[in-house]
Amino acid sequence: MDSSLRKRKSQKPSKETEFRKENQQQNSSGFGWSPIFAVLTIAILAGGYFVYHDENMKTPILNNINNIIRKTRAPAAMVCENITPAYREDCGNIKTTQATCVASGCCWNPPPAGVAGPACYKNVKMPAIPPQCANVLRAELRVDCGDLNITPALCFAKGCCWDVYPPLPGDWPNCYKYPEVVPPGPLTPTLEPTTKNPGSFEIVGKTPSPGFHVAVVPKTGKLVFYDRISGGTLGTHTYEWDYILKQYRELTSPPTDVFCSGGSILPDNAGRILNVGGWAGAGLEKVRFYTGCGTPGVWGTCDGWVEADTNQAKLLLPRWYPTTVTLPNGTIAVLGGTTGMLPGGKPQTTIEFLPKIPGVGTLTLPILANNLDYLTYVNAFVLPNGGVWVLAGAQNQVLDYTNDWKILRAYPNAPGAVARTYPLTGQAVLLPLDPANNYKAEVLVCGGGNEYLPTSKTVDTCVRLDLDAQDPQWVTETMPTGPRVMPDIILLPDGTQLILNGAATGGSGFNYARFPVLNALLYDPKKPANQRFTVLAASTIPRMYHSVALLLEDGRVLVAASNPNANGNLPSQYVEYESEFRVEYYTPPYLSTGAVRPEIENLPVDDWDYADTLQLTAKIPSEKKENIRLVLTTDGFVTHSTHMNQRQVVIAFTSVKTAANEYVLTLTTPPNANVCPPGWYMLFVLDNGVPSIAKWVRVGGDPSGTTTWLTKGGLSGLTTKGARTFTPPTPGDQFQSASATPGGSQSSTTSAPKTTGGSGNGSGMSRTKTIGVGLGVVMMIISLISLLVI
């Protein structure tokens, strides 16, 4: 036994203890009042509680009781400011608990996993943050605005900016002002073209925001753009662009955030655009569909976004920066990404499928698990042998989608760079598949980086690999325009590849690249190694992070966007590189010779089966059958220098001349879904390299049932914004929006749902509350009577 305990046991009782014992003995001989008083006290308090918590009791007596209780009630708990973790003033230490934090008068709110900031912080109301502070200004441009001990709140109160991610404390001024004018960022010097026909860039219009997710909508002559709302706020902004009118028409946006999502053109009857994932909250698991309307040069009246709200059209896992690939069976595979905004997001190393396959959930892909820093916007293509080639970082493999995605073949890492996928972003393309060489599969990968810093030099090489070779070895070639990260590579219908956009230093991310590269490049895969590049014309517009480029139906290339700033609405005085609203068309050399275009005059069948024989008629101005080329091509879905499902297939044919310039082409459709996965493609006929205006065809039907998938279970499972009336734009104004309502205004109202019961402020009391009040009143009456009797 403990000695102190023994000592306490041996001590004599105190006088106070003896008095308590004597009192207890007296009470035990008669009637005890203490229990009654205790019960009455509890009854009064309970009754008061029920009355106090009812907001609908209006009787004077009860109101008076209510006021008495209110005066004696404990003070309300402190309302804490919801402060961004990085801006909080620490109010504890590693050992601080929630109880000790709150007891010290501070706020407790642990930041999300992976986000820096104290859990216990001072309740300091944050002043308004200057809008330019959304962008992190380079250290050498900052004007110091504080000292090493200044807090974020005091910094913002002075009208200054606070950098939440300095490399080391004291290395940069954390609290700083912008100079009066931020000097424009440096450019990569432009080069003289190495051809007499370099093509040309033309500014053709403007968009309402820098739309950096885009797809061509089959048969409509429209492109659908969507992005996060400019200004750094959450949400979605979406609009159509008519490539002939050179105008946009705003659309009602999906309700959740599509920022940095994935997409595809579905093989369904309508050629809907599929969009998956997003940036935050519910958007991370959402599946959305866009149905286009109208014809080239003519607006439709639809407002076609639908966001699914059913388990049949929902991702199994949250995905930000996912990639999609259309498989030979028509299923859309969705792979990679993260679970949410970095650094709190976790790598998503899995693949899943839409429409959902019964009994199949998600599968982990080792190539993603081995490249946790580079599993966002990976590159993936279906090969003619039925495998799926995947590039993550520099590692690349062919996977068997028919057998749990097991590795069929591993290739040497792409040389010359630590990574060639996001965020050290290069781009990979599958070179045109041609029956003349038995659809040999070759990939071309250009750009990338070795270090993720804004000042780090990027990669100046393209590497090429024959995936069918017995001993595959990468062939490296140097781009004459120098290093480039975030390039866009376009498969042109003449079989060449256009390389444009991007920067010479840095990587993908807000304010994370410099020295934009303005010259376009042409790569001709049929020429000998080291003779394949041609320097083309230069744009006057830097196309940095969040730029897009894709092939139009007339053979030109649309170039748009560039949003390197977290706040896309900042004026030029605050940014090195402006967010871009201007749209350019690049006219390739094949449309700059003055030659007359060929024309597809009659295409009886636009829904093709595999290995079928069809005919079409075409005008061939040169009247030379050896000049004729027939190709299918698709841009797929484009964002962040990633062209999902981009593909080109050469079509075999024979020709018969029937009249002056007139030819009947008897063609053989692609042999199978491995060569040409199901979907929508632009069909071009070329005469001596000059393309026609494309016709849209669907190849392979809809084997996975995406058409019925969209309506499975009825439309009750879908959430959609209502269509609006449409006023056409004034003809000839290339810079005008095609407003959906007169004057371009739009409004929406949201009504709060009615409540029946619960704790809402409805028109009547809930059943629970009525019982509580009644019980409280009864208990108070009984208590008062008992007091009078006693």
Side-chain angles (χ1 to χ4, degrees), residues 501-714:
N501 297 345
T505 69
S508 294
F510 288 127
N511 306 109
Y512 229 78
R514 301 182 72 208
F515 294 94
V517 183
L518 302 178
N519 278 99
L521 274 177
L522 193 68
Y523 180 86
D524 189 340
K526 294 185 177 180
K527 289 184 177 181
N530 300 314
Q531 298 179 33
R532 294 168 176 156
F533 287 110
T534 300
V535 179
L536 300 176
S539 172
T540 58
I541 300 175
R543 301 289 183 180
M544 308 281 279
Y545 188 47
H546 291 148
S547 298
V548 294
L550 71 175
L551 183 68
L552 297 172
E553 296 170 14
D554 65 359
R556 291 180 293 177
V557 174
L558 177 141
V559 186
S562 185
N563 189 20
N565 307 302
N567 186 335
N569 283 333
L570 284 180
S572 59
Q573 71 188 75
Y574 291 123
V575 297
E576 290 188 277
Y577 303 102
E578 294 186 58
S579 296
E580 267 304 332
F581 298 76
R582 290 174 291 177
V583 176
E584 294 175 286
Y585 286 174
Y586 174 73
T587 301
Y590 52 55
L591 291 176
S592 304
T593 63
V596 179
R597 283 182 185 267
E599 179 184 351
I600 299 175
E601 292 186 304
N602 184 27
L603 181 65
V605 180
D606 63 1
D607 203 347
W608 294 5
D609 293 327
Y610 293 113
D612 199 2
T613 301
L614 303 172
Q615 286 188 332
L616 62 83
T617 58
K619 277 188 176 181
I620 307 298
S622 73
E623 298 191 76
K624 295 180 179 180
K625 63 180 182 180
E626 62 270 22
N627 287 348
I628 304 173
R629 174 182 170 93
L630 201 60
V631 299
L632 293 171
T633 189
T634 177
D635 290 305
F637 171 86
V638 182
T639 186
H640 292 75
S641 304
T642 306
H643 293 236
M644 302 176 195
N645 296 299
Q646 183 178 208
R647 196 178 196 87
Q648 186 173 119
V649 181
V650 179
I651 301 299
F653 66 93
T654 60
S655 63
V656 175
K657 185 176 181 180
T658 57
N661 300 334
E662 297 280 344
Y663 285 78
V664 173
L665 305 183
T666 302
L667 62 92
T668 302
T669 61
N672 54 54
N674 296 336
V675 170
C676 189
W680 289 89
Y681 295 82
M682 291 183 283
L683 174 67
F684 290 94
V685 62
L686 295 94
D687 180 13
N688 198 28
V690 179
S692 65
I693 304 294
K695 300 285 188 181
W696 282 93
V697 300
R698 184 174 69 159
V699 181
D702 182 19
S704 65
T706 58
T707 301
T708 57
W709 170 49
L710 301 186
T711 56
K712 188 175 295 183

Side-chain angles (χ1 to χ4, degrees), residues 144-375:
D144 202 345
C145 195
D147 56 56
L148 292 178
N149 297 318
I150 197 169
T151 64
L154 293 175
C155 179
F156 291 133
K158 295 171 67 174
C160 301
C161 297
W162 179 267
D163 182 10
V164 299
Y165 297 116
L168 291 172
D171 277 6
W172 292 358
N174 285 57
C175 184
Y176 64 91
K177 280 186 178 179
Y178 271 66
E180 290 187 8
V181 176
V182 174
L187 309 177
T188 299
T190 57
L191 302 178
E192 286 295 320
T194 56
T195 174
K196 293 181 180 180
N197 183 12
S200 60
F201 287 89
E202 177 190 6
I203 299 172
V204 297
K206 289 185 178 180
T207 55
S209 65
F212 51 87
H213 308 78
V214 62
V216 178
V217 184
K219 300 194 293 185
T220 65
K222 311 293 187 292
L223 296 83
V224 61
F225 285 85
Y226 43 101
D227 55 49
R228 190 208 290 188
I229 293 173
S230 290
T233 57
L234 301 182
T236 296
H237 190 199
T238 179
Y239 51 92
E240 280 186 328
W241 175 270
D242 187 294
Y243 86 93
I244 291 177
L245 298 176
K246 303 170 187 174
Q247 296 171 333
Y248 66 86
R249 177 172 77 100
E250 298 214 38
L251 303 169
T252 303
S253 300
T256 59
D257 196 341
V258 302
F259 187 54
C260 304
S261 53
S264 182
I265 302 175
L266 290 173
D268 67 354
N269 295 336
R272 293 171 172 88
I273 307 302
L274 171 73
N275 176 254
V276 296
W279 183 57
L284 285 162
E285 298 176 355
K286 285 295 184 180
V287 173
R288 311 168 190 89
F289 309 99
Y290 178 75
T291 306
C293 59
T295 56
V298 178
W299 292 110
T301 58
C302 60
D303 196 17
W305 275 108
V306 172
E307 184 168 275
D309 191 21
T310 170
N311 287 334
Q312 288 300 318
K314 179 182 178 182
L315 293 179
L316 295 173
L317 295 174
R319 295 184 189 270
W320 191 36
Y321 291 95
T323 296
T324 69
V325 57
T326 302
L327 302 178
N329 61 11
T331 300
I332 312 300
V334 185
L335 61 156
T338 74
T339 60
M341 183 181 178
L342 296 174
K346 297 179 181 179
Q348 200 62 278
T349 61
T350 59
I351 187 169
E352 61 179 280
F353 310 96
L354 296 171
K356 293 181 180 179
I357 303 172
V360 178
T362 63
L363 298 171
T364 297
L365 299 185
I367 191 171
L368 301 181
N370 295 335
N371 292 277
L372 297 181
D373 292 332
Y374 306 108
L375 48 59

Side-chain angles (χ1 to χ4, degrees), residues 304-557:
W305 275 108
V306 172
E307 184 168 275
D309 191 21
T310 170
N311 287 334
Q312 288 300 318
K314 179 182 178 182
L315 293 179
L316 295 173
L317 295 174
R319 295 184 189 270
W320 191 36
Y321 291 95
T323 296
T324 69
V325 57
T326 302
L327 302 178
N329 61 11
T331 300
I332 312 300
V334 185
L335 61 156
T338 74
T339 60
M341 183 181 178
L342 296 174
K346 297 179 181 179
Q348 200 62 278
T349 61
T350 59
I351 187 169
E352 61 179 280
F353 310 96
L354 296 171
K356 293 181 180 179
I357 303 172
V360 178
T362 63
L363 298 171
T364 297
L365 299 185
I367 191 171
L368 301 181
N370 295 335
N371 292 277
L372 297 181
D373 292 332
Y374 306 108
L375 48 59
T376 48
Y377 287 146
V378 299
N379 291 179
F381 302 105
V382 172
L383 302 181
N385 65 7
V388 179
W389 181 79
V390 177
L391 171 70
Q395 188 179 9
N396 60 115
Q397 301 170 346
V398 174
L399 308 178
D400 185 354
Y401 83 93
T402 67
N403 187 19
D404 291 336
W405 291 78
K406 293 180 180 178
I407 299 172
L408 287 173
R409 190 174 187 183
Y411 294 91
N413 281 8
V418 168
R420 292 185 181 266
T421 57
Y422 191 96
L424 297 175
T425 308
Q427 191 197 327
V429 293
L430 181 65
L431 292 176
L433 299 172
D434 194 333
N437 60 16
N438 198 28
Y439 302 106
K440 181 170 71 171
E442 292 186 272
V443 289
L444 177 73
V445 188
C446 296
N450 289 304
E451 190 178 20
Y452 190 52
L453 289 173
T455 55
S456 296
K457 183 179 178 181
T458 59
V459 174
D460 65 356
T461 58
C462 290
V463 293
R464 178 173 168 178
L465 183 65
D466 180 353
L467 299 175
D468 296 329
Q470 289 186 352
D471 182 24
Q473 299 295 325
W474 290 93
V475 176
T476 300
E477 298 171 272
T478 301
M479 293 183 285
T481 48
R484 194 185 300 238
V485 69
M486 302 179 293
D488 283 280
I489 307 177
I490 313 299
L491 298 176
L492 297 178
D494 66 350
T496 60
Q497 288 74 54
L498 178 69
I499 305 169
L500 71 173
N501 297 345
T505 69
S508 294
F510 288 127
N511 306 109
Y512 229 78
R514 301 182 72 208
F515 294 94
V517 183
L518 302 178
N519 278 99
L521 274 177
L522 193 68
Y523 180 86
D524 189 340
K526 294 185 177 180
K527 289 184 177 181
N530 300 314
Q531 298 179 33
R532 294 168 176 156
F533 287 110
T534 300
V535 179
L536 300 176
S539 172
T540 58
I541 300 175
R543 301 289 183 180
M544 308 281 279
Y545 188 47
H546 291 148
S547 298
V548 294
L550 71 175
L551 183 68
L552 297 172
E553 296 170 14
D554 65 359
R556 291 180 293 177
V557 174

Side-chain angles (χ1 to χ4, degrees), residues 23-57:
N23 194 39
Q24 289 173 359
Q25 291 173 357
Q26 291 175 355
N27 288 339
S28 64
S29 62
F31 189 82
W33 294 102
S34 295
I36 295 177
F37 283 119
V39 170
L40 293 177
T41 302
I42 293 172
I44 293 171
L45 291 175
Y49 173 86
F50 286 119
V51 174
Y52 175 74
H53 281 270
D54 178 67
E55 297 175 0
N56 297 285
M57 297 298 294

